[in-house]
Amino acid sequence: MRRSTSSLRGATTAAALGQPGRHPLPASYRPAPRRGLAPLELTLTLPLLLMVMALMVILGAAGAWKLRTLANSRQAILRAIYPRTTDNDPHPPNWWPAATVMQYHANVPSPFPFDPYAEHRVVRGPTIADPRSGNSLNVRTGTLDMTAGMHSGRASVDHDPAMWPRLGVRNAFSRETVMFAGQTWQYGNMGIPTNGTRRILYTYDYEMSRYNPGAAAMVNLAAATLLANPSRPQLEVLDQDAELRAWYGRNIDFHPQPPAACTNDPSVLRTQVLRPLLQRIDDVPRTMAETFLRMYREQLDALDNQTPPPPDLDSQRGVLLQKIRQLEDFLRTL
């Protein structure tokens, strides 16, 4: 008898489930054995996995070198701009190989075609003009020039890849960072000798001969007259007295200095400069007498405390006491 299709399907399912009393599947229905294929598949895919892993390492290292190049291009500027002078320092260890490049450039073209603040009153100050002639002082635009200060730092690297050297690629990066860092407008940066030097001398072109040749000739004549004064040796006491220099170890300047004032208003100059200057001139005799009196009293105290006393103690004391009495009498007349 022929079995039905449903009966054959049932027998096949029962045999697959291992039910007793059923016949196993024929050989044509059995799957092929797969023992040992997993190691084979791993062997076939392992090169691909290693290639992907190497590419990941190469890309990660390339990103790190790219960031290092950018950071070192900035470092090349920051370690060399005023007042730092470490441009020739060695490269950072374990960060930037010695064979790579870190360069600093101070002369970089400005992105501005002209100084945008060249005519600004805050930067340039008011125009100083002669009320009689109308001539004005020229401004030294180079002192506060916005266009002169662009510096750049350049860093480049040509490094072997982290893995897979036969790939034929290299970590070759070059970065340049431009920074406005050359003009900090400090006195040393602007070429001014000291912090107490008047800035106006470096902001304006005050050469008198260019604006008023007659006034310049008068100033030169007055200076020559002072230098040729026959009584000049008698005036050395004002700033080059030998006694004061021997006792204090330095020259003492008694010349009256005018107060500092930055204005072109005649009334302000008269009240804040001229009057205090005249008062200081009147105080010069008293200041000089008090200075010499203090020196002679110090010399007298040193002479009395000298051990052993000098043989001519009375003679030296007599000379100092005479000078002290003369100065005291002079001060009472002022």
Side-chain angles (χ1 to χ4, degrees):
M1 295 178 58
R2 297 184 57 186
R3 295 184 180 181
S4 63
T5 306
S6 59
S7 299
L8 182 58
R9 186 181 300 110
T12 305
T13 304
L17 295 177
Q19 295 181 359
R22 300 288 184 177
H23 297 285
L25 289 174
S28 59
Y29 289 93
R30 297 176 186 175
R34 298 180 55 85
R35 295 178 182 177
L37 291 182
L40 178 61
E41 294 174 351
L42 177 61
T43 303
L44 294 176
T45 58
L46 186 59
L48 181 61
L49 295 176
L50 293 177
M51 184 184 302
V52 173
M53 182 187 68
L55 291 176
M56 294 172 61
V57 173
I58 291 174
L59 291 177
W65 281 112
K66 186 175 182 180
L67 292 177
R68 290 185 185 184
T69 306
L70 177 60
N72 281 287
S73 65
R74 298 177 179 178
Q75 175 69 12
I77 300 179
L78 296 178
R79 72 178 186 175
I81 60 175
Y82 179 86
R84 303 176 183 88
T85 57
T86 57
D87 185 28
N88 295 323
D89 282 4
H91 296 337
N94 300 327
W95 174 259
W96 201 239
T100 54
V101 176
M102 285 180 64
Q103 294 177 341
Y104 168 73
H105 300 281
N107 299 322
V108 179
S110 173
F112 307 105
F114 58 90
D115 188 355
Y117 298 100
E119 304 299 331
H120 204 290
R121 287 177 59 89
V122 176
V123 178
R124 301 306 180 203
T127 301
I128 300 178
D130 183 5
R132 295 183 179 180
S133 63
N135 296 327
S136 60
L137 296 178
N138 294 327
V139 177
R140 293 184 175 181
T141 57
T143 303
L144 297 174
D145 190 1
M146 285 288 296
T147 62
M150 305 303 297
H151 292 198
S152 70
R154 180 177 178 272
S156 61
V157 61
D158 189 357
H159 198 268
D160 295 329
M163 298 183 67
W164 206 355
R166 295 184 179 180
L167 188 61
V169 298
R170 298 183 62 83
N171 292 323
F173 301 103
S174 179
R175 292 291 182 271
E176 183 174 7
T177 300
V178 180
M179 183 182 300
F180 182 79
Q183 290 290 350
T184 55
W185 294 303
Q186 298 172 342
Y187 71 92
N189 181 248
M190 293 188 295
I192 300 176
T194 63
N195 193 22
T197 305
R198 298 181 63 184
R199 289 342 189 231
I200 192 172
L201 303 179
Y202 295 85
T203 306
Y204 293 96
D205 186 5
Y206 62 93
E207 182 62 39
M208 189 180 300
S209 60
R210 300 182 183 180
Y211 307 101
N212 194 335
M218 293 176 60
V219 171
N220 293 330
L221 179 61
T225 303
L226 291 175
L227 294 175
N229 184 8
S231 302
R232 185 181 176 187
Q234 301 176 7
L235 301 177
E236 291 183 353
V237 67
L238 292 174
D239 55 3
Q240 297 181 18
D241 184 76
E243 280 189 285
L244 293 174
R245 182 171 60 252
W247 182 252
Y248 291 108
R250 58 183 176 85
N251 290 324
I252 298 180
D253 189 0
F254 294 105
H255 289 90
Q257 301 295 330
C262 184
T263 180
N264 58 354
D265 189 348
S267 61
V268 176
L269 292 174
R270 188 178 302 108
T271 57
Q272 298 184 8
V273 178
L274 181 59
R275 291 178 182 176
L277 179 59
L278 294 176
Q279 182 62 41
R280 294 180 182 182
I281 293 175
D282 293 338
D283 294 339
V284 169
R286 177 178 297 276
T287 303
M288 294 180 63
E290 291 177 347
T291 302
F292 277 92
L293 180 59
R294 182 175 64 253
M295 180 184 65
Y296 292 141
R297 287 173 176 174
E298 293 174 358
Q299 291 178 356
L300 182 60
D301 293 339
L303 182 64
D304 292 338
N305 296 326
Q306 187 174 350
T307 303
D312 57 344
L313 174 63
D314 295 336
S315 175
Q316 294 188 31
R317 292 188 84 259
V319 174
L320 291 175
L321 289 174
Q322 182 181 3
K323 293 180 179 180
I324 292 174
R325 284 193 296 268
Q326 290 177 352
L327 290 173
E328 291 176 345
D329 295 339
F330 175 75
L331 288 173
R332 282 192 289 267
T333 62
L334 296 178

